[in-house]
């Protein structure tokens, strides 16, 4: 349409829900039933609008190529179904797949919707937008770094182009949280189950099984939080010292932020224990019995305790979010923020994203070495224990435990240290745009760190880069429960599991009740759920074919024994830390690569909070010989226990995850499953021809 036209197209509003094509969606499916071109709606999904003869722009060896097909907008996603080539036997299997396609994008994953016409400027569309032209192209900028470009037929005024464009704009604004719950559950009940024995840690059996695998004889599974009456953000079950009774354990909850007490994450075969906890609560008033309980938790039966201040050397969630925004603006093609080629690398360093990755890898390596050197208690302490502690505890276990580098072990690790541990996925990923203030891709930073380890130790991992990219993209899919909640308590409320209203009050009468916002959110989730339980993300068969899932496995993987030896084995390299850790009951602070002895385990003295002189690191001159062995060890590590990975974190060795972040660039775009067998065969034929010439 010419710019001077008096006619405009307003996107209509539908306050009662999406009904653009509801009555006709069944007609579409009935009309094309048995035809592979029909959109494969899953139960509970309906088509709102469609446009035929649309071309999806894709990269090719000769420049910009395209795929002919039909563009659909449903109440759950935007999908493009290519027309099968003549004699394509794989076409039917592709069309029968419910939630799997490189051409599909969930509605909440759409970051920007841009309509393009040759007669006017490109326009960013929202639900209230008014179109004054028929779009010739439609560009979807996705939050997972994909960019989907579609070109409509250029045969004049095409009504399908306008209809599908307005449907996507309206559906994106009305995308709900639980629209696909029944649909995905029906697919799961049809027999598509997870292949890997992933531990979900929802019941005591998984906790007991993992504890036996670790060989942690001095620990037990405590059901003290089984009804979430100790802390709503903690899991139901905790690993605590065997000698500590639940009545004694209850005394400690009130003295930590959000009541998140120290608990075991992982047991090293050399005898060390990795724990995580929130910061000490400044307003609590512990009694002597409370102090004894907390001391039993922190020391965990060891003579020494090393407290690692997680936030001391790592970026804050706000800094991670700022770096992620800069990285997205740099990597996604946008003329408004285009950077010259000669300045691109300096602009990449200016985002500070790679600096954050380096810091995380470096600190995880230091903690892994600390655990391997001597039998002691290492406590990761973060103010709220829900962001950087998740990242650091997971990276340390990947470096130290070969089982965490298998697909089943990695998924179980994510369940234990992120999902049930209470990482606020709903706020940090901000999938439904509730509030931008709490958004921060901490989990995606962790995946980037894991990819860096995979590049440096390719034979040590059972899974591939394709698996990590699929996991990255899955964090923006709202059809599964894994990354959709802030804690296990919210997930259980959503699944209509009854939560107890009885809340334990400590002996001294002080407690921190759940906030009103948390209680209201839990009630909302329970009401919207309708009793339908969302499936786990680890049911990969719901979205990927067996051939695609086979590309998750690393053919170069050198397997290790998945069973960790019993913790009774001799400490590894204990003499290296003897000058630094020598006193029984000693407490040390690990920060900026150095150990600093502390005079007190807790910030309270004589029943009052000591705000000064607590955890004040000594200077390098005063420490003298005490920390030199540890500094030398963290940099060179002359002795390396079997199975321990010590990655390099120097500048050029930490690289950009191109396959994930640069997928929107048409010059380097490859997609999740980069090459098909036909493309590889064609490339191999050309190489043979060149060699023959």
């Amino acid at each position: 349409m010419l710019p001077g036209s008096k006619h405009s197209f307003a996107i209509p509003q539908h306050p009662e829900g999406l009904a653009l094509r509801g009555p006709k969606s069944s007609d579409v499916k009935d009309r094309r039933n048995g035809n592979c071109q029909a959109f494969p709606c899953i139960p509970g999904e309906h088509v709102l609008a469609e446009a035929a003869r649309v071309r999806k722009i894709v990269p090719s060896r000769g420049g910009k190529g395209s795929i002919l097909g039909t563009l659909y907008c449903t109440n759950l996603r935007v999908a493009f179904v290519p027309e099968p080539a003549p004699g394509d036997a794989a076409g039917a299997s592709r069309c029968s797949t419910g939630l799997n396609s490189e051409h599909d994008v969930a509605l909440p994953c759409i970051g920007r919707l841009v309509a393009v016409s040759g007669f006017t400027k490109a326009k960013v569309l929202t639900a209230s937008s008014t179109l004054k032209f028929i779009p010739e192209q439609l560009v979807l900028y996705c939050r997972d770094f994909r960019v989907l470009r579609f070109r409509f037929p250029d045969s004049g005024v095409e009504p399908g182009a306008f209809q599908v464009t307005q449907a996507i704009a309206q559906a994106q604004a009305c995308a709900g949280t639980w629209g696909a719950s029944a649909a995905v559950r029906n697919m799961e009940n049809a027999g598509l189950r997870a292949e890997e024995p992933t531990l979900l840690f929802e019941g005591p059996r998984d906790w007991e099984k993992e504890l036996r695998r670790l060989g942690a004889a001095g620990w037990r599974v405590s059901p003290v939080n089984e009804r979430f009456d100790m802390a709503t953000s903690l899991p139901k079950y905790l690993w605590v010292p065997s000698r500590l009774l639940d009545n004694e354990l209850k005394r400690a909850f009130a003295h930590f932020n959000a009541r998140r007490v120290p608990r075991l994450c992982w047991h090293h075969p050399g005898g060390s224990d990795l724990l995580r906890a929130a910061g000490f609560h400044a307003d609590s008033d512990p009694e002597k019995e409370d102090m004894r309980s907390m001391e039993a938790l922190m020391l965990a039966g060891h003579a020494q305790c090393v407290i690692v201040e997680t936030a001391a050397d790592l970026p804050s969630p706000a800094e991670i979010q700022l770096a992620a925004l800069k990285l997205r603006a740099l990597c996604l093609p946008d003329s408004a923020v285009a950077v010259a080629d000669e300045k691109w690398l300096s602009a990449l360093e200016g985002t500070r994203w790679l600096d954050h990755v380096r810091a995380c890898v470096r600190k995880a390596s230091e903690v892994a070495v600390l655990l391997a050197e001597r039998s002691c208690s290492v406590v990761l302490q973060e103010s709220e224990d829900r962001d950087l502690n998740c990242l650091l505890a997971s990276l340390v276990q990947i470096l130290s435990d070969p089982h965490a580098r298998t697909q089943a072990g990695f998924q179980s690790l994510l369940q234990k240290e992120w999902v049930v541990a209470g990482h606020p996925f709903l706020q940090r990923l901000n999938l439904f745009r509730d509030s931008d203030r709490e958004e921060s891709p901490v989990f995606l930073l962790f995946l980037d760190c894991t990819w860096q380890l995979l590049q440096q130790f390719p034979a040590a991992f059972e899974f591939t880069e394709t698996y990590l990219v699929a996991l990255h993209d899955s964090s923006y899919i709202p059809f599964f429960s894994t990354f959709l909640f802030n804690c296990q308590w919210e997930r259980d409320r959503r699944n209509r599991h009854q939560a107890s209203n009885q809340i334990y009050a400590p002996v001294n009468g002080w407690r921190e009740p759940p906030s009103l916002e948390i209680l209201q959110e839990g009630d909302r989730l329970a009401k919207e759920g309708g009793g339908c339980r969302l499936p786990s993300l680890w049911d990969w068969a719901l979205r990927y074919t067996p051939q695609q899932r086979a590309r998750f496995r690393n053919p170069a993987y050198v397997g290790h024994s998945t069973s960790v030896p019993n913790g009774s084995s001799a400490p590894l390299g204990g003499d290296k830390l003897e000058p630094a850790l020598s006193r029984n009951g000693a407490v040390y602070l690990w920060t900026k690569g150095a150990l600093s002895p502390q005079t007190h385990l807790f910030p309270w003295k004589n029943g009052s909070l000591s705000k000064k002189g607590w955890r004040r690191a000594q200077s390098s001159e005063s420490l003298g010989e005490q920390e030199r062995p540890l500094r030398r060890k963290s940099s060179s590590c002359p002795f390396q226990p079997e199975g321990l990975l010590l990655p390099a974190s120097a500048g050029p060795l930490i690289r950009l995850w191109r396959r994930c972040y640069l997928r929107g660039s048409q010059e380097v775009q490859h997609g999740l499953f980069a090459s098909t067998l036909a493309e590889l065969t064609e490339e191999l034929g050309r190489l043979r021809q060149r060699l023959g010439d």
Side-chain angles (χ1 to χ4, degrees), residues 327-347:
L327 180 68
R328 184 178 302 276
L330 180 65
C331 293
L332 288 181
D334 190 337
S335 57
V337 293
V339 178
D341 292 342
E342 62 272 12
K343 297 182 180 180
W344 199 90
L345 291 179
S346 60

Side-chain angles (χ1 to χ4, degrees), residues 610-663:
S610 175
K611 296 184 179 180
K612 294 183 179 180
W614 162 242
R615 289 190 183 175
R616 186 168 296 175
Q618 302 180 26
S619 63
S620 58
E621 292 81 3
S622 62
L623 283 174
E625 297 294 332
Q626 182 169 258
E627 69 178 50
R628 289 180 185 173
L630 191 58
R631 286 182 180 271
R632 183 173 62 250
K633 174 63 177 67
S634 61
S635 60
S636 59
C637 193
F639 60 98
Q640 180 172 336
E642 183 179 359
L644 176 63
L645 304 182
L646 292 179
S649 57
L653 297 177
I654 298 297
R655 299 180 291 169
L656 180 69
W657 190 2
R658 295 171 58 88
R659 187 171 175 185
C660 180
Y661 302 141
L662 296 181
R663 284 182 290 172

Side-chain angles (χ1 to χ4, degrees), residues 338-598:
V339 178
D341 292 342
E342 62 272 12
K343 297 182 180 180
W344 199 90
L345 291 179
S346 60
L348 175 61
E349 286 297 326
T351 65
R352 299 212 62 194
W353 180 261
L354 295 183
D355 290 336
H356 298 338
V357 174
R358 292 186 191 101
C360 294
V361 173
R362 184 184 303 113
K363 187 150 190 174
S365 302
E366 293 173 350
V367 177
V369 169
L370 190 64
L371 285 166
E373 286 182 323
R374 186 178 174 87
S375 178
C376 62
S377 169
V378 179
V379 182
L380 306 180
Q381 194 164 34
E382 184 190 12
S383 176
E384 298 298 328
D385 182 38
R386 302 185 67 177
D387 289 301
L388 299 178
N389 265 7
C390 299
L391 184 150
L392 189 58
S394 301
L395 286 180
V396 170
Q397 294 176 62
I398 292 174
L399 293 175
S400 306
D401 190 353
H403 177 69
R405 301 193 285 269
T406 65
Q407 183 175 340
F410 185 76
Q411 294 174 173
S412 299
L413 175 68
L414 298 185
Q415 282 287 141
K416 177 170 63 74
E417 300 298 343
W418 292 83
V419 179
V420 301
H423 178 68
F425 282 105
L426 197 60
Q427 298 172 356
R428 292 298 184 234
L429 294 178
N430 196 21
L431 192 58
F432 302 104
R433 313 296 176 86
D434 295 330
S435 174
D436 294 338
R437 293 181 300 175
E438 301 295 329
E439 183 176 355
S440 179
V442 181
F443 179 69
L444 305 184
L445 176 62
F446 162 73
L447 292 181
D448 196 324
C449 295
T450 305
W451 178 82
Q452 304 290 340
L453 301 179
L454 179 62
Q455 300 309 299
Q456 296 192 29
F457 306 96
F461 289 83
E462 186 186 43
F463 49 85
T464 62
E465 180 185 22
T466 299
Y467 170 80
L468 290 178
V469 175
L471 190 56
H472 172 276
D473 295 349
S474 298
S475 62
Y476 291 103
I477 298 179
F479 307 149
F480 303 90
S481 66
T482 305
F483 301 145
L484 207 55
F485 300 92
N486 293 326
C487 58
Q488 189 177 6
W489 179 77
E490 285 188 5
R491 186 173 294 101
D492 280 10
R493 290 289 292 259
R494 162 65 179 80
N495 293 328
R496 285 192 172 273
H497 287 180
Q498 196 69 15
S500 173
N501 291 325
Q502 300 178 1
I503 301 180
Y504 168 79
V507 176
N508 59 10
W510 185 91
R511 65 171 306 277
E512 182 179 357
S515 65
L516 179 61
E517 291 78 7
I518 292 180
L519 293 173
Q520 291 175 344
E521 177 70 8
D523 292 337
R524 182 183 68 82
L525 297 177
K527 291 178 181 178
E528 290 185 0
C532 181
R533 182 183 177 91
L534 288 167
S536 169
L537 175 70
W538 315 125
D539 296 337
W540 293 108
L542 296 178
R543 289 166 293 147
Y544 299 106
T545 64
Q547 294 79 9
Q548 291 171 332
R549 297 198 304 274
R551 302 186 68 173
F552 290 171
R553 298 301 185 93
N554 181 10
Y557 171 65
V558 178
H560 293 276
S561 174
T562 57
S563 61
V564 177
N566 189 282
S568 60
S569 59
L572 298 172
D575 57 330
K576 299 292 182 178
L577 264 184
E578 194 65 30
L581 299 179
S582 58
R583 296 182 291 114
N584 290 336
V587 180
Y588 298 87
L589 177 66
W590 174 264
T591 179
K592 299 187 182 301
L595 276 175
S596 303
Q598 302 297 305

Side-chain angles (χ1 to χ4, degrees), residues 110-392:
I110 300 176
R112 283 188 304 153
L113 179 67
V114 180
V116 181
S117 173
F119 299 99
T120 184
K121 294 182 179 180
K123 182 178 181 61
V124 179
L125 301 179
T126 62
S128 59
S129 297
T130 299
L131 283 176
K132 296 184 179 180
F133 58 89
I134 294 291
E136 298 177 4
Q137 292 188 28
L138 194 62
V139 185
L140 278 65
Y141 293 89
C142 305
R143 299 177 66 188
D144 58 7
F145 288 90
R146 288 185 298 164
V147 178
L148 305 181
R149 298 175 176 86
F150 302 99
R151 186 171 66 243
F152 296 107
D154 52 358
S155 56
V157 177
E158 177 58 48
F162 174 75
Q163 292 174 2
V164 75
T165 299
Q166 71 170 4
I168 295 174
Q170 183 66 34
Q172 180 190 7
C174 300
T177 309
W178 317 115
S181 59
V184 181
R185 172 55 60 178
N186 290 338
M187 294 177 62
E188 186 186 48
N189 293 336
L192 298 175
R193 301 297 305 169
E195 295 181 346
E196 295 293 338
T198 302
L199 300 181
L200 300 181
F201 294 97
E202 295 179 347
R205 186 171 301 178
D206 288 352
W207 292 93
E208 294 282 1
K209 182 178 180 181
E210 180 67 6
L211 195 62
R212 289 194 300 269
R213 186 191 72 84
L214 293 175
W219 297 84
R220 66 179 179 90
V221 177
S222 171
V224 67
N225 198 44
E226 192 170 24
R227 297 181 299 178
F228 301 106
D229 47 8
M230 292 292 101
T232 55
S233 64
L234 283 178
K236 291 182 177 181
Y237 305 95
L238 308 174
W239 285 334
V240 299
S242 301
R243 293 179 294 180
L244 189 65
L245 301 179
D246 283 350
N247 288 335
E248 299 172 325
L249 176 62
K250 291 178 180 180
R251 291 181 172 272
F253 281 89
H255 309 298
F256 292 88
N257 294 336
R259 304 172 64 83
R260 295 179 66 87
V261 296
R263 67 269 182 209
L264 179 68
C265 293
W266 183 70
H267 176 75
H268 193 279
S272 295
D273 291 308
L274 179 66
L275 292 81
R276 58 183 292 184
F280 297 111
H281 201 292
D283 297 330
S284 64
D285 185 14
E287 300 177 354
K288 290 184 178 180
E289 292 80 2
D290 303 342
M291 300 283 281
R292 293 193 189 99
S293 298
M294 288 187 289
E295 183 176 351
L297 280 175
M298 301 282 285
L299 289 174
H302 295 278
Q304 295 92 16
C305 174
V306 179
I307 300 177
V308 179
E309 288 191 337
T310 307
D313 308 300
L314 300 184
S316 66
E319 292 172 334
I320 295 174
Q321 171 66 3
L322 180 60
L325 292 176
K326 292 181 178 179
L327 180 68
R328 184 178 302 276
L330 180 65
C331 293
L332 288 181
D334 190 337
S335 57
V337 293
V339 178
D341 292 342
E342 62 272 12
K343 297 182 180 180
W344 199 90
L345 291 179
S346 60
L348 175 61
E349 286 297 326
T351 65
R352 299 212 62 194
W353 180 261
L354 295 183
D355 290 336
H356 298 338
V357 174
R358 292 186 191 101
C360 294
V361 173
R362 184 184 303 113
K363 187 150 190 174
S365 302
E366 293 173 350
V367 177
V369 169
L370 190 64
L371 285 166
E373 286 182 323
R374 186 178 174 87
S375 178
C376 62
S377 169
V378 179
V379 182
L380 306 180
Q381 194 164 34
E382 184 190 12
S383 176
E384 298 298 328
D385 182 38
R386 302 185 67 177
D387 289 301
L388 299 178
N389 265 7
C390 299
L391 184 150
L392 189 58

